[in-house]
Amino acid sequence: MKVVTANRLLDGEVVWQGADGTWVELLSLAHVLEGKDEVAKAMELATQSIADREVVEAYAMDVTQDEGRIVPVRLREMIRAAGPTTHPELGKQARASAV
């Protein structure tokens, strides 16, 4: 399983592609992709978003689901989903339903 992530060009916020192709700020709202065809279609939308200067550096990342919750596989993506490791009161982790 994968989701597509990027950084919003306007403010650098970490975002994920939602089910309707828009970019959402919470991993929990990301569209989980199954199989190469879904990933390819999602990356086509992401490429268009890059061309439209909405986001930068879009890529598909591995996730698992735990009791319906989307969980990043790699530590890097866990940190991107939660916020900076230097201060727990900053970033997405400061929000109640961050990850």
Side-chain angles (χ1 to χ4, degrees), residues 2-5 13-20 22-33 61 63-72 77-78 80-82 92-93 95-99:
K2 292 183 181 286
V3 297
V4 174
T5 186
E13 181 80 21
V14 175
V15 291
W16 295 267
Q17 195 176 66
D20 61 357
T22 61
W23 297 96
V24 297
E25 293 186 8
L26 297 175
L27 178 58
S28 60
L29 300 176
H31 180 59
V32 177
L33 307 164
M61 59 178 253
V63 296
T64 61
Q65 288 191 312
D66 182 24
E67 298 180 8
R69 192 171 143 243
I70 302 169
V71 180
E77 302 305 336
M78 290 179 191
R80 289 183 75 239
K92 296 177 187 291
Q93 62 196 338
R95 300 176 195 161
S97 60
V99 180

Side-chain angles (χ1 to χ4, degrees), residues 48-69:
Q48 184 59 52
S49 292
I50 292 169
D52 294 341
R53 299 182 182 193
E54 295 176 44
V55 297
V56 294
E57 299 294 326
Y59 58 92
M61 59 178 253
D62 293 322
V63 296
T64 61
Q65 288 191 312
D66 182 24
E67 298 180 8
R69 192 171 143 243

